[in-house]
C-alpha cells in the first residue's frame, strides 16, 4: 500500500463535505499529512444568476477586485448582497479560492484532490457534454459553459490538473438520499455528466451513490434513518461509512 503520510489531500464539495465529515475519515484512515477542505454548504458545480424583480446578480470570480465573498445560505431572501454571495458558492469559485490559498502559502499542493459535488445541482443545468468537452484549452474556449454542470466540472478538473500536474484527481458521486425522486435526478447526472466528463478528462469516478452502503430504503424523509439525520445529511456513522469507502477506493487506485 502507498505511504500516504507524506501526501496532501485537497477536497471540495457541499454541506455533505464541509468541515470534518467523510473526507476527514479519508485523511485519518490513510494517514495523509494534511487535509485542505474548501467545501461550503448549499454549493453547486456551476455559476449562477439570481434575479429579484429588476435586479440580478451573477457569480463573480474569486480574484475580482469587488469579490463579495461566499455564503452557504439557503433560505428564501431578497437581499441582493446575500444572493451574490450565494451565487459565488460554486465549485468554480471554490477552486479559484483553493489555488489562491496555495499561491499565498496557506494551502499545500495536493497530491490527491477529491471533488464531491452535485447533490444541489438542478436537473435542467446539466449542459451539452459533447460541446463542453471540445477543444484542448480552457482559455478562450466558448464551448465551455460554466453555467452548466458539465462545463463547470470540466473547468474544475482541468484547472486543478493544470495547476497541480502531479495530483491524482477523483470525483465522488453524491450519496443516496431518502427521496426516490432526488435519487433519480442524481442517477441521471451520473449517467449523463459524471461518467462521460470524468472519462474524457482521465480522472477516476468513485461511485458513492451505488457502492458506499448508504441506501434510500433505510432512510427517512425529513427524519433520522440508519445513516442520515434528515434524509440528506449523514450522521457521524454515515460520514464514516462514506469516508472509509472513499479511502478504500483511493488506496486501491493509487500507484
Amino acid at each position: 500500500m502507498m505511504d500516504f503520510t507524506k501526501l496532501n489531500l485537497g477536497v471540495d464539495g457541499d454541506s455533505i463535505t464541509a468541515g470534518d465529515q467523510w473526507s476527514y475519515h479519508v485523511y485519518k484512515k490513510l494517514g495523509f499529512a494534511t487535509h485542505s477542505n474548501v467545501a461550503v454548504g448549499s454549493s453547486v458545480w456551476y455559476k449562477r444568476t439570481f434575479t429579484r424583480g429588476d435586479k440580478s446578480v451573477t457569480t463573480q470570480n474569486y480574484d475580482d477586485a469587488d469579490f463579495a465573498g461566499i455564503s452557504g445560505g439557503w433560505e428564501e431572501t431578497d437581499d441582493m448582497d446575500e444572493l451574490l454571495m450565494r451565487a459565488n458558492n460554486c465549485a468554480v469559485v471554490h477552486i479559484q479560492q483553493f489555488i489562491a490559498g496555495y499561491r499565498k502559502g496557506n494551502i499545500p499542493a495536493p497530491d490527491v484532490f477529491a471533488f464531491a459535488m452535485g447533490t444541489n445541482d438542478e436537473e435542467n443545468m446539466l449542459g451539452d457534454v459533447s460541446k463542453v468537452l471540445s477543444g484542448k484549452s480552457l482559455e478562450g474556449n466558448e464551448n465551455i459553459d460554466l453555467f452548466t454542470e458539465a462545463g463547470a466540472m470540466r473547468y474544475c478538473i482541468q484547472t486543478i490538473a493544470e495547476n497541480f500536474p502531479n495530483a491524482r484527481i477523483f470525483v465522488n458521486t453524491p450519496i443516496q438520499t431518502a427521496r426516490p425522486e432526488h435519487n433519480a435526478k442524481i442517477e441521471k447526472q451520473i449517467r449523463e455528466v459524471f461518467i462521460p466528463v470524468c472519462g474524457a478528462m482521465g480522472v477516476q469516478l468513485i461511485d458513492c451513490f451505488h457502492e458506499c452502503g448508504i441506501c434510500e430504503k433505510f432512510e427517512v424523509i425529513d427524519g433520522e434513518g440508519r445513516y442520515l439525520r434528515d434524509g440528506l445529511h449523514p450522521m457521524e456513522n454515515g460520514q464514516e461509512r462514506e469516508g472509509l469507502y472513499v479511502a478504500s477506493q483511493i488506496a486501491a487506485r493509487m500507484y
Side-chain angles (χ1 to χ4, degrees):
M1 180 174 170
M2 178 172 285
D3 180 7
F4 288 89
T5 61
K6 297 180 176 61
L7 304 183
N8 300 309
L9 174 64
V11 181
D12 186 27
D14 50 36
S15 61
I16 294 172
T17 300
D20 291 338
Q21 299 193 74
W22 67 264
S23 63
Y24 178 77
H25 289 283
V26 174
Y27 158 68
K28 295 298 289 185
K29 176 66 176 178
L30 297 181
F32 277 99
T34 64
H35 173 217
S36 302
N37 186 352
V38 292
V40 181
S42 303
S43 59
V44 297
W45 277 102
Y46 46 82
K47 290 187 171 187
R48 293 176 284 185
T49 295
F50 292 131
T51 301
R52 296 292 186 273
D54 61 352
K55 297 179 180 179
S56 66
V57 291
T58 298
T59 304
Q60 300 171 295
N61 288 313
Y62 186 75
D63 60 359
D64 286 351
D66 60 347
F67 184 71
I70 299 172
S71 172
W74 55 271
E75 295 179 320
E76 281 295 322
T77 183
D78 293 325
D79 184 329
M80 300 308 292
D81 293 333
E82 168 65 15
L83 288 172
L84 177 56
M85 291 190 290
R86 292 185 189 184
N88 291 338
N89 189 18
C90 63
V92 171
V93 176
H94 294 181
I95 294 314
Q96 295 170 351
Q97 179 186 26
F98 186 94
I99 293 167
Y102 164 72
R103 290 175 177 167
K104 291 177 181 177
N106 299 327
I107 296 175
D111 299 286
V112 173
F113 196 97
F115 291 97
M117 285 278 188
T119 294
N120 301 313
D121 290 19
E122 298 291 337
E123 187 174 338
N124 63 351
M125 301 297 288
L126 301 187
D128 184 337
V129 174
S130 61
K131 185 175 181 181
V132 303
L133 289 174
S134 62
K136 296 182 182 297
S137 176
L138 293 176
E139 187 174 356
N141 189 338
E142 296 179 355
N143 291 319
I144 303 175
D145 185 354
L146 298 184
F147 290 81
T148 67
E149 183 177 73
M153 190 180 297
R154 177 190 169 170
Y155 169 88
C156 291
I157 291 170
Q158 190 164 343
T159 298
I160 289 294
E162 288 177 352
N163 281 272
F164 308 106
N166 295 322
R168 290 292 302 280
I169 301 172
F170 296 86
V171 176
N172 297 359
T173 69
I175 59 175
Q176 290 187 36
T177 73
R179 297 180 181 273
E181 67 278 8
H182 188 258
N183 293 337
K185 182 212 72 166
I186 293 173
E187 289 208 83
K188 182 177 181 180
Q189 292 172 249
I190 294 170
R191 182 175 64 252
E192 297 186 10
V193 179
F194 281 72
I195 292 174
V197 172
C198 290
M201 298 304 296
V203 300
Q204 298 197 53
L205 184 63
I206 298 179
D207 192 356
C208 296
F209 185 89
H210 294 105
E211 297 181 359
C212 81
I214 297 175
C215 174
E216 171 259 321
K217 306 304 181 189
F218 305 108
E219 303 305 332
V220 179
I221 296 174
D222 299 326
E224 186 174 310
R226 179 177 289 183
Y227 293 113
L228 306 179
R229 69 174 185 267
D230 55 5
L232 177 63
H233 298 93
M235 298 179 287
E236 173 62 28
N237 64 341
Q239 296 166 15
E240 182 177 17
R241 182 88 175 191
E242 182 180 8
L244 294 182
Y245 170 71
V246 174
S248 73
Q249 293 300 299
I250 291 175
R253 301 181 193 193
M254 290 289 286
Y255 51 81

